Amino acid sequence: MKHILLALAVISSQLTFAQNTFRAIIKNERTQEALTGITANIPALNIGTATDTTGMIEIKNIPNGSFQIKFSYVGFKDFQKTFSFPLAHPNEIFTIDLEPSETELGEVVIQTTRSSRSIRDIPTRVEAITLDELNEKNSMKPGDIRMLLNESTGIATQQTSAVSGTANIRIQGLDGRYTQFLRDGMPLYQGFSGGLSVMQIAPLDLKQVEFIKGSASTLYGGGAIAGLV
């Protein structure tokens, strides 16, 4: 009799802690395309997984009871639904449709140089003065790139002519002849301009100013020992 009671207790314990499996296919609500990399987790149990290349997701070792499963993915609205385990049909594969989010992601600007080098092999940091900032500065001194660069850390301007307003651009303390000037990717004055005057660049032609602080002579020649504008 004792053995029978012990066996019943073991069976009851196994049924109480039965492990269930949840399977589902995650799709885009609008296009009905399977979504790869969707994250699904059960917060109450701290378990989860992600969809494979076919949009299939499988969560194992779920005990009996009601649990909320949360589905999330970048560019889609989060979706939550409660399921009761054990399922009425243990082998059922659910279909979950995620609604695309209307929130716009931040703008990403990609720039390239005339080089066959991999970006991983070019540890240079390119800083830029955008068109909005140029328009703001142009109202004070139209076309004066010196003022724009002088407000950037690591760059200093030294006026060399009171008549023409020409100034040398010093990057990291080096003389202006070590700074390379490019316009639309091409060197100005054979790459040895040394400085800029007030109206060197026409204001209407100026859309963006980019500069590299530090040696860039490997990519842009010997005139870019101090940096590049």
CSV table of all heavy atoms in Angstrom, one decimal, residues 63-116:
chain,number,residue,atom,x,y,z
A,63,PRO,N,6.3,25.4,-17.6
A,63,PRO,CA,5.4,24.6,-16.7
A,63,PRO,C,4.0,24.9,-16.9
A,63,PRO,O,3.6,25.8,-17.7
A,63,PRO,CB,5.9,25.1,-15.3
A,63,PRO,CG,6.4,26.5,-15.6
A,63,PRO,CD,7.0,26.4,-16.9
A,64,ASN,N,3.1,24.1,-16.3
A,64,ASN,CA,1.7,24.3,-16.4
A,64,ASN,C,1.3,25.7,-15.8
A,64,ASN,O,1.8,26.1,-14.8
A,64,ASN,CB,0.9,23.2,-15.8
A,64,ASN,CG,1.1,21.9,-16.5
A,64,ASN,OD1,1.5,21.9,-17.7
A,64,ASN,ND2,0.8,20.8,-15.8
A,65,GLY,N,0.3,26.3,-16.4
A,65,GLY,CA,-0.2,27.6,-15.9
A,65,GLY,C,-0.4,28.6,-17.0
A,65,GLY,O,-0.2,28.3,-18.2
A,66,SER,N,-0.8,29.8,-16.7
A,66,SER,CA,-1.1,30.8,-17.7
A,66,SER,C,0.1,31.8,-17.6
A,66,SER,O,0.5,32.3,-16.6
A,66,SER,CB,-2.4,31.6,-17.4
A,66,SER,OG,-3.5,30.7,-17.5
A,67,PHE,N,0.7,32.0,-18.8
A,67,PHE,CA,1.9,32.9,-18.9
A,67,PHE,C,1.8,33.8,-20.1
A,67,PHE,O,1.2,33.5,-21.1
A,67,PHE,CB,3.2,32.1,-19.0
A,67,PHE,CG,3.4,31.1,-17.9
A,67,PHE,CD1,3.1,29.8,-18.0
A,67,PHE,CD2,4.0,31.6,-16.7
A,67,PHE,CE1,3.3,28.9,-16.9
A,67,PHE,CE2,4.2,30.8,-15.7
A,67,PHE,CZ,3.9,29.4,-15.8
A,68,GLN,N,2.2,35.0,-19.9
A,68,GLN,CA,2.2,36.0,-21.0
A,68,GLN,C,3.5,36.0,-21.7
A,68,GLN,O,4.6,36.0,-21.2
A,68,GLN,CB,2.1,37.4,-20.4
A,68,GLN,CG,1.9,38.5,-21.4
A,68,GLN,CD,1.8,39.9,-20.8
A,68,GLN,OE1,2.7,40.4,-20.3
A,68,GLN,NE2,0.6,40.5,-20.8
A,69,ILE,N,3.4,35.9,-23.1
A,69,ILE,CA,4.6,35.8,-23.9
A,69,ILE,C,4.7,37.2,-24.7
A,69,ILE,O,3.7,37.6,-25.3
A,69,ILE,CB,4.5,34.7,-24.9
A,69,ILE,CG1,4.4,33.3,-24.2
A,69,ILE,CG2,5.7,34.6,-25.8
A,69,ILE,CD1,4.3,32.1,-25.1
A,70,LYS,N,5.8,37.8,-24.7
A,70,LYS,CA,6.1,39.1,-25.3
A,70,LYS,C,6.9,38.9,-26.5
A,70,LYS,O,8.0,38.3,-26.5
A,70,LYS,CB,6.7,40.0,-24.3
A,70,LYS,CG,7.0,41.4,-24.8
A,70,LYS,CD,7.6,42.3,-23.8
A,70,LYS,CE,7.9,43.7,-24.4
A,70,LYS,NZ,8.5,44.6,-23.4
A,71,PHE,N,6.5,39.5,-27.6
A,71,PHE,CA,7.2,39.5,-28.9
A,71,PHE,C,7.7,40.9,-29.2
A,71,PHE,O,6.9,41.8,-29.2
A,71,PHE,CB,6.3,38.9,-30.0
A,71,PHE,CG,5.7,37.6,-29.7
A,71,PHE,CD1,4.5,37.5,-29.1
A,71,PHE,CD2,6.3,36.4,-30.1
A,71,PHE,CE1,3.9,36.3,-28.8
A,71,PHE,CE2,5.8,35.2,-29.8
A,71,PHE,CZ,4.6,35.1,-29.2
A,72,SER,N,8.9,41.1,-29.6
A,72,SER,CA,9.4,42.4,-29.9
A,72,SER,C,10.5,42.3,-31.0
A,72,SER,O,11.2,41.3,-31.1
A,72,SER,CB,10.0,43.0,-28.6
A,72,SER,OG,11.1,42.2,-28.1
A,73,TYR,N,10.6,43.4,-31.7
A,73,TYR,CA,11.5,43.5,-32.8
A,73,TYR,C,11.7,45.0,-33.2
A,73,TYR,O,10.7,45.7,-33.1
A,73,TYR,CB,11.0,42.7,-34.0
A,73,TYR,CG,12.0,42.5,-35.1
A,73,TYR,CD1,13.2,41.8,-34.9
A,73,TYR,CD2,11.8,43.0,-36.4
A,73,TYR,CE1,14.1,41.6,-35.9
A,73,TYR,CE2,12.7,42.8,-37.4
A,73,TYR,CZ,13.8,42.1,-37.2
A,73,TYR,OH,14.7,41.9,-38.2
A,74,VAL,N,12.9,45.4,-33.7
A,74,VAL,CA,13.1,46.7,-34.1
A,74,VAL,C,12.3,47.1,-35.3
A,74,VAL,O,12.3,46.3,-36.3
A,74,VAL,CB,14.6,47.0,-34.4
A,74,VAL,CG1,14.8,48.4,-34.9
A,74,VAL,CG2,15.4,46.7,-33.1
A,75,GLY,N,11.5,48.2,-35.3
A,75,GLY,CA,10.7,48.6,-36.4
A,75,GLY,C,9.3,48.0,-36.3
A,75,GLY,O,8.5,48.3,-37.2
A,76,PHE,N,9.0,47.2,-35.3
A,76,PHE,CA,7.6,46.7,-35.1
A,76,PHE,C,7.1,47.0,-33.7
A,76,PHE,O,7.9,47.1,-32.8
A,76,PHE,CB,7.6,45.2,-35.4
A,76,PHE,CG,7.8,44.8,-36.8
A,76,PHE,CD1,9.1,44.7,-37.3
A,76,PHE,CD2,6.7,44.5,-37.6
A,76,PHE,CE1,9.3,44.4,-38.7
A,76,PHE,CE2,6.9,44.2,-39.0
A,76,PHE,CZ,8.2,44.1,-39.5
A,77,LYS,N,5.8,47.1,-33.6
A,77,LYS,CA,5.2,47.3,-32.3
A,77,LYS,C,5.3,46.0,-31.4
A,77,LYS,O,5.1,44.9,-32.0
A,77,LYS,CB,3.7,47.7,-32.4
A,77,LYS,CG,3.6,49.1,-33.1
A,77,LYS,CD,2.1,49.5,-33.2
A,77,LYS,CE,1.9,50.8,-33.8
A,77,LYS,NZ,0.5,51.2,-33.9
A,78,ASP,N,5.5,46.2,-30.1
A,78,ASP,CA,5.6,45.0,-29.2
A,78,ASP,C,4.2,44.4,-29.2
A,78,ASP,O,3.2,45.1,-29.2
A,78,ASP,CB,6.0,45.5,-27.8
A,78,ASP,CG,7.5,45.9,-27.8
A,78,ASP,OD1,8.2,45.6,-28.8
A,78,ASP,OD2,7.9,46.4,-26.8
A,79,PHE,N,4.2,43.1,-29.1
A,79,PHE,CA,2.9,42.3,-29.0
A,79,PHE,C,3.0,41.3,-27.8
A,79,PHE,O,4.0,40.7,-27.6
A,79,PHE,CB,2.7,41.5,-30.3
A,79,PHE,CG,1.5,40.7,-30.3
A,79,PHE,CD1,0.2,41.3,-30.5
A,79,PHE,CD2,1.5,39.3,-30.1
A,79,PHE,CE1,-0.9,40.5,-30.5
A,79,PHE,CE2,0.4,38.6,-30.1
A,79,PHE,CZ,-0.9,39.2,-30.3
A,80,GLN,N,1.9,41.3,-27.0
A,80,GLN,CA,1.9,40.4,-25.9
A,80,GLN,C,0.6,39.6,-25.9
A,80,GLN,O,-0.5,40.2,-26.3
A,80,GLN,CB,1.9,41.3,-24.6
A,80,GLN,CG,3.2,42.1,-24.4
A,80,GLN,CD,3.2,42.9,-23.1
A,80,GLN,OE1,2.3,42.9,-22.4
A,80,GLN,NE2,4.3,43.6,-22.9
A,81,LYS,N,0.7,38.4,-25.5
A,81,LYS,CA,-0.5,37.5,-25.5
A,81,LYS,C,-0.3,36.4,-24.4
A,81,LYS,O,0.8,35.9,-24.2
A,81,LYS,CB,-0.7,36.8,-26.9
A,81,LYS,CG,-2.0,36.1,-27.0
A,81,LYS,CD,-2.3,35.6,-28.4
A,81,LYS,CE,-3.6,34.9,-28.5
A,81,LYS,NZ,-3.9,34.4,-29.8
A,82,THR,N,-1.4,36.1,-23.7
A,82,THR,CA,-1.3,35.1,-22.7
A,82,THR,C,-1.8,33.8,-23.2
A,82,THR,O,-2.8,33.7,-23.9
A,82,THR,CB,-2.2,35.6,-21.5
A,82,THR,OG1,-1.8,36.8,-21.0
A,82,THR,CG2,-2.2,34.6,-20.4
A,83,PHE,N,-1.0,32.7,-22.9
A,83,PHE,CA,-1.3,31.4,-23.2
A,83,PHE,C,-1.4,30.5,-22.0
A,83,PHE,O,-0.7,30.7,-21.0
A,83,PHE,CB,-0.3,30.8,-24.2
A,83,PHE,CG,-0.2,31.5,-25.5
A,83,PHE,CD1,0.6,32.6,-25.6
A,83,PHE,CD2,-0.9,31.0,-26.6
A,83,PHE,CE1,0.7,33.3,-26.9
A,83,PHE,CE2,-0.8,31.7,-27.8
A,83,PHE,CZ,0.0,32.8,-28.0
A,84,SER,N,-2.4,29.5,-22.0
A,84,SER,CA,-2.6,28.6,-20.9
A,84,SER,C,-1.9,27.3,-21.3
A,84,SER,O,-2.2,26.7,-22.3
A,84,SER,CB,-4.0,28.4,-20.6
A,84,SER,OG,-4.6,29.7,-20.2
A,85,PHE,N,-1.1,26.8,-20.3
A,85,PHE,CA,-0.4,25.5,-20.5
A,85,PHE,C,-1.0,24.5,-19.5
A,85,PHE,O,-1.2,24.9,-18.3
A,85,PHE,CB,1.1,25.7,-20.4
A,85,PHE,CG,1.6,26.6,-21.5
A,85,PHE,CD1,1.8,27.9,-21.2
A,85,PHE,CD2,2.0,26.1,-22.7
A,85,PHE,CE1,2.3,28.8,-22.2
A,85,PHE,CE2,2.5,26.9,-23.7
A,85,PHE,CZ,2.7,28.3,-23.4
A,86,PRO,N,-1.1,23.2,-19.9
A,86,PRO,CA,-0.9,22.7,-21.2
A,86,PRO,C,-1.9,23.1,-22.2
A,86,PRO,O,-3.0,23.5,-21.9
A,86,PRO,CB,-1.0,21.2,-21.0
A,86,PRO,CG,-1.9,21.0,-19.8
A,86,PRO,CD,-1.6,22.2,-18.9
A,87,LEU,N,-1.4,23.2,-23.5
A,87,LEU,CA,-2.2,23.7,-24.6
A,87,LEU,C,-3.3,22.6,-25.0
A,87,LEU,O,-3.0,21.4,-24.7
A,87,LEU,CB,-1.4,24.0,-25.8
A,87,LEU,CG,-0.3,25.1,-25.7
A,87,LEU,CD1,0.6,25.1,-26.9
A,87,LEU,CD2,-0.9,26.4,-25.4
A,88,ALA,N,-4.4,23.1,-25.5
A,88,ALA,CA,-5.4,22.1,-25.9
A,88,ALA,C,-4.9,21.2,-27.0
A,88,ALA,O,-5.2,20.0,-27.1
A,88,ALA,CB,-6.6,22.9,-26.5
A,89,HIS,N,-4.0,21.7,-27.9
A,89,HIS,CA,-3.3,20.9,-28.9
A,89,HIS,C,-1.8,21.1,-28.8
A,89,HIS,O,-1.3,22.1,-29.3
A,89,HIS,CB,-3.8,21.3,-30.3
A,89,HIS,CG,-5.3,21.2,-30.5
A,89,HIS,ND1,-6.0,20.0,-30.6
A,89,HIS,CD2,-6.3,22.2,-30.5
A,89,HIS,CE1,-7.3,20.2,-30.8
A,89,HIS,NE2,-7.5,21.6,-30.6
A,90,PRO,N,-1.2,20.2,-28.1
A,90,PRO,CA,0.3,20.4,-27.8
A,90,PRO,C,1.2,20.7,-29.0
A,90,PRO,O,2.2,21.3,-28.9
A,90,PRO,CB,0.7,19.2,-27.0
A,90,PRO,CG,-0.6,18.6,-26.5
A,90,PRO,CD,-1.7,19.0,-27.5
A,91,ASN,N,0.8,20.1,-30.1
A,91,ASN,CA,1.6,20.2,-31.3
A,91,ASN,C,1.2,21.4,-32.2
A,91,ASN,O,1.7,21.5,-33.3
A,91,ASN,CB,1.6,18.9,-32.1
A,91,ASN,CG,2.2,17.7,-31.3
A,91,ASN,OD1,3.1,17.9,-30.6
A,91,ASN,ND2,1.6,16.5,-31.5
A,92,GLU,N,0.3,22.2,-31.8
A,92,GLU,CA,-0.2,23.3,-32.6
A,92,GLU,C,0.9,24.4,-32.8
A,92,GLU,O,1.7,24.7,-31.9
A,92,GLU,CB,-1.4,24.0,-31.9
A,92,GLU,CG,-2.0,25.1,-32.7
A,92,GLU,CD,-3.2,25.7,-32.1
A,92,GLU,OE1,-3.6,25.2,-31.0
A,92,GLU,OE2,-3.8,26.7,-32.6
A,93,ILE,N,1.0,24.9,-34.0
A,93,ILE,CA,1.9,26.0,-34.3
A,93,ILE,C,1.1,27.2,-34.6
A,93,ILE,O,0.3,27.3,-35.5
A,93,ILE,CB,2.8,25.6,-35.6
A,93,ILE,CG1,3.6,24.4,-35.3
A,93,ILE,CG2,3.7,26.8,-35.9
A,93,ILE,CD1,4.4,23.9,-36.5
A,94,PHE,N,1.3,28.2,-33.7
A,94,PHE,CA,0.5,29.4,-33.7
A,94,PHE,C,1.1,30.4,-34.8
A,94,PHE,O,2.3,30.3,-35.1
A,94,PHE,CB,0.5,30.2,-32.4
A,94,PHE,CG,-0.2,29.4,-31.3
A,94,PHE,CD1,0.5,28.5,-30.5
A,94,PHE,CD2,-1.5,29.6,-31.1
A,94,PHE,CE1,-0.2,27.7,-29.5
A,94,PHE,CE2,-2.2,28.9,-30.1
A,94,PHE,CZ,-1.5,28.0,-29.3
A,95,THR,N,0.3,31.3,-35.3
A,95,THR,CA,0.8,32.3,-36.2
A,95,THR,C,0.6,33.7,-35.5
A,95,THR,O,-0.5,34.1,-35.1
A,95,THR,CB,0.0,32.3,-37.5
A,95,THR,OG1,0.2,31.0,-38.2
A,95,THR,CG2,0.5,33.4,-38.4
A,96,ILE,N,1.7,34.4,-35.4
A,96,ILE,CA,1.7,35.7,-34.7
A,96,ILE,C,2.0,36.8,-35.7
A,96,ILE,O,3.1,36.7,-36.4
A,96,ILE,CB,2.7,35.8,-33.5
A,96,ILE,CG1,2.4,34.6,-32.5
A,96,ILE,CG2,2.6,37.1,-32.8
A,96,ILE,CD1,1.1,34.7,-31.9
A,97,ASP,N,1.1,37.8,-35.9
A,97,ASP,CA,1.4,38.9,-36.8
A,97,ASP,C,1.8,40.1,-36.0
A,97,ASP,O,1.1,40.6,-35.1
A,97,ASP,CB,0.1,39.2,-37.6
A,97,ASP,CG,-0.3,38.1,-38.6
A,97,ASP,OD1,0.7,37.4,-39.0
A,97,ASP,OD2,-1.5,37.9,-38.8
A,98,LEU,N,3.0,40.7,-36.4
A,98,LEU,CA,3.4,41.9,-35.8
A,98,LEU,C,3.2,43.1,-36.7
A,98,LEU,O,3.4,43.0,-37.9
A,98,LEU,CB,4.9,41.8,-35.5
A,98,LEU,CG,5.4,40.8,-34.5
A,98,LEU,CD1,6.9,41.0,-34.2
A,98,LEU,CD2,4.6,40.9,-33.2
A,99,GLU,N,2.7,44.2,-36.1
A,99,GLU,CA,2.3,45.4,-36.8
A,99,GLU,C,3.6,46.3,-36.9
A,99,GLU,O,4.2,46.6,-35.9
A,99,GLU,CB,1.2,46.1,-36.1
A,99,GLU,CG,0.8,47.4,-36.9
A,99,GLU,CD,-0.3,48.1,-36.1
A,99,GLU,OE1,-0.7,47.6,-35.0
A,99,GLU,OE2,-0.7,49.2,-36.5
A,100,PRO,N,3.9,46.7,-38.2
A,100,PRO,CA,5.1,47.6,-38.3
A,100,PRO,C,4.9,48.9,-37.5
A,100,PRO,O,3.7,49.4,-37.5
A,100,PRO,CB,5.2,47.9,-39.8
A,100,PRO,CG,4.5,46.7,-40.4
A,100,PRO,CD,3.4,46.3,-39.4
A,101,SER,N,5.9,49.4,-36.9
A,101,SER,CA,5.8,50.7,-36.2
A,101,SER,C,6.0,51.9,-37.2
A,101,SER,O,6.8,51.8,-38.1
A,101,SER,CB,6.9,50.7,-35.1
A,101,SER,OG,6.9,52.0,-34.5
A,102,GLU,N,5.2,52.9,-36.9
A,102,GLU,CA,5.3,54.1,-37.7
A,102,GLU,C,6.4,55.1,-37.3
A,102,GLU,O,6.6,56.1,-37.9
A,102,GLU,CB,3.9,54.9,-37.7
A,102,GLU,CG,2.8,54.0,-38.1
A,102,GLU,CD,2.9,53.6,-39.6
A,102,GLU,OE1,3.6,54.3,-40.3
A,102,GLU,OE2,2.3,52.6,-39.9
A,103,THR,N,7.1,54.7,-36.2
A,103,THR,CA,8.1,55.6,-35.7
A,103,THR,C,9.3,55.5,-36.6
A,103,THR,O,9.8,54.5,-37.0
A,103,THR,CB,8.6,55.2,-34.3
A,103,THR,OG1,7.4,55.2,-33.4
A,103,THR,CG2,9.6,56.1,-33.7
A,104,GLU,N,9.8,56.7,-37.0
A,104,GLU,CA,11.0,56.7,-37.9
A,104,GLU,C,12.3,56.6,-37.1
A,104,GLU,O,12.4,57.1,-36.0
A,104,GLU,CB,11.0,58.1,-38.7
A,104,GLU,CG,9.8,58.2,-39.6
A,104,GLU,CD,9.9,59.5,-40.4
A,104,GLU,OE1,10.9,60.2,-40.2
A,104,GLU,OE2,9.0,59.8,-41.2
A,105,LEU,N,13.2,55.8,-37.7
A,105,LEU,CA,14.5,55.7,-37.1
A,105,LEU,C,15.4,56.9,-37.4
A,105,LEU,O,15.1,57.6,-38.4
A,105,LEU,CB,15.2,54.4,-37.6
A,105,LEU,CG,14.4,53.1,-37.3
A,105,LEU,CD1,15.2,51.9,-37.9
A,105,LEU,CD2,14.2,52.9,-35.8
A,106,GLY,N,16.4,57.1,-36.6
A,106,GLY,CA,17.3,58.2,-36.9
A,106,GLY,C,18.0,58.1,-38.2
A,106,GLY,O,18.3,57.0,-38.7
A,107,GLU,N,18.3,59.3,-38.8
A,107,GLU,CA,18.9,59.3,-40.1
A,107,GLU,C,20.4,58.9,-40.0
A,107,GLU,O,21.1,59.3,-39.1
A,107,GLU,CB,18.8,60.7,-40.7
A,107,GLU,CG,19.4,60.9,-42.1
A,107,GLU,CD,19.3,62.3,-42.6
A,107,GLU,OE1,18.7,63.1,-41.9
A,107,GLU,OE2,19.8,62.6,-43.7
A,108,VAL,N,20.8,58.1,-41.0
A,108,VAL,CA,22.2,57.7,-41.0
A,108,VAL,C,22.8,58.2,-42.3
A,108,VAL,O,22.3,57.9,-43.4
A,108,VAL,CB,22.3,56.1,-40.9
A,108,VAL,CG1,23.8,55.7,-41.1
A,108,VAL,CG2,21.7,55.6,-39.6
A,109,VAL,N,23.9,58.9,-42.2
A,109,VAL,CA,24.6,59.5,-43.3
A,109,VAL,C,25.9,58.6,-43.6
A,109,VAL,O,26.7,58.5,-42.7
A,109,VAL,CB,25.0,60.9,-43.1
A,109,VAL,CG1,25.8,61.5,-44.3
A,109,VAL,CG2,23.8,61.8,-42.8
A,110,ILE,N,26.0,58.1,-44.8
A,110,ILE,CA,27.2,57.3,-45.1
A,110,ILE,C,28.0,58.1,-46.1
A,110,ILE,O,27.5,58.6,-47.2
A,110,ILE,CB,26.8,56.0,-45.8
A,110,ILE,CG1,25.9,55.2,-44.7
A,110,ILE,CG2,28.0,55.1,-46.2
A,110,ILE,CD1,25.4,53.9,-45.3
A,111,GLN,N,29.3,58.2,-45.8
A,111,GLN,CA,30.2,59.0,-46.7
A,111,GLN,C,31.4,58.0,-47.1
A,111,GLN,O,31.8,57.1,-46.4
A,111,GLN,CB,30.8,60.2,-46.0
A,111,GLN,CG,29.7,61.2,-45.6
A,111,GLN,CD,30.3,62.4,-44.9
A,111,GLN,OE1,31.4,62.3,-44.3
A,111,GLN,NE2,29.6,63.5,-44.9
A,112,THR,N,31.9,58.3,-48.3
A,112,THR,CA,33.0,57.5,-48.8
A,112,THR,C,34.1,58.3,-49.3
A,112,THR,O,34.0,59.5,-49.5
A,112,THR,CB,32.5,56.6,-50.0
A,112,THR,OG1,32.1,57.5,-51.1
A,112,THR,CG2,31.4,55.7,-49.6
A,113,THR,N,35.3,57.7,-49.5
A,113,THR,CA,36.5,58.4,-50.0
A,113,THR,C,36.9,57.6,-51.3
A,113,THR,O,36.6,56.5,-51.5
A,113,THR,CB,37.6,58.4,-49.0
A,113,THR,OG1,37.9,57.1,-48.6
A,113,THR,CG2,37.2,59.2,-47.8
A,114,ARG,N,37.8,58.3,-52.1
A,114,ARG,CA,38.3,57.6,-53.3
A,114,ARG,C,39.4,56.7,-52.9
A,114,ARG,O,40.6,57.0,-53.2
A,114,ARG,CB,38.7,58.7,-54.3
A,114,ARG,CG,37.6,59.6,-54.7
A,114,ARG,CD,38.1,60.6,-55.7
A,114,ARG,NE,37.0,61.5,-56.1
A,114,ARG,CZ,37.1,62.5,-57.0
A,114,ARG,NH1,38.3,62.7,-57.5
A,114,ARG,NH2,36.1,63.3,-57.3
A,115,SER,N,39.1,55.6,-52.3
A,115,SER,CA,40.2,54.7,-51.8
A,115,SER,C,39.6,53.3,-51.8
A,115,SER,O,38.4,53.1,-51.6
A,115,SER,CB,40.6,55.1,-50.4
A,115,SER,OG,41.5,54.1,-49.9
A,116,SER,N,40.5,52.3,-52.1
A,116,SER,CA,40.1,50.9,-52.1
A,116,SER,C,40.3,50.3,-50.8
A,116,SER,O,40.1,49.1,-50.6
A,116,SER,CB,40.8,50.2,-53.2
A,116,SER,OG,42.2,50.2,-53.0
